[in-house]
Amino acid sequence: MEYDGGDIMKEAGILSKEEIEKVTPPLDRAEKGPVAVIECLEKIPCDACGWACPFDAIIKERITVPPKIDYDKCTGCGQCVLVCPGLAIFLIELDGEKAKVTVPYEFLPEPRVGQEVVALDRRGLPVTKAKVLKVMRSKDKTLAVTIEVPRELFMEVRGIRI
Ligand code: SF4
Ligand code: SF4
């Protein structure tokens, strides 16, 4: 299973419905455990995600070409979420009626496990309330925050507000 980057088009910095379908991992893979969702819009010179992945799941054919991901190699470790300067990588995991969504977070105060936060969509608009399940931290203090949301929101929620 592979998403090949392809022609992700920029529309006001927000993915269109078709683009969201294109970057959505296979649902059977997302039901087995966390998996990365790469929403890299720009053909910018960046390969931080490719270098960060310990499992060679992300391939950059050229530095300005959007990354490819091999969903079968991805373990959902979250290292790519922590290093992406574009805040364009997320993790999703489906579990019955619920979904876990991991988003990058660079603001203060830092969220705490168990805290209730507001889940935001790609435009920064509130979608629902959500509970913080996990907080990962990079060396430069970027956080990857995992929250629990209703399953139908797994490709909508892309940020949090405390
Ligand atoms: S979540 Fe981990 S294994 Fe998956 S693409 Fe990102 S760095 Fe690689
Ligand atoms: S690290 Fe982020 S911005 Fe850079 S290529 Fe990967 S997904 Fe795109």
Side-chain angles (χ1 to χ4, degrees), residues 37-42 44-50 58 60 63 65-67 80 83-89:
V37 179
I38 300 185
E39 301 187 2
C40 189
L41 291 166
E42 308 274 4
I44 52 171
C46 175
D47 58 2
C49 53
I58 298 178
K60 290 278 290 186
I63 195 163
V65 172
C80 53
V83 302
C84 174
L87 308 181
I89 308 183

Side-chain angles (χ1 to χ4, degrees), residues 36 52-55 57-58 69 73-80 91:
C53 181
F55 302 98
I58 298 178
I69 178 166
K73 285 187 178 177
C74 175
T75 66
C77 71
Q79 292 305 307
C80 53
L91 302 179

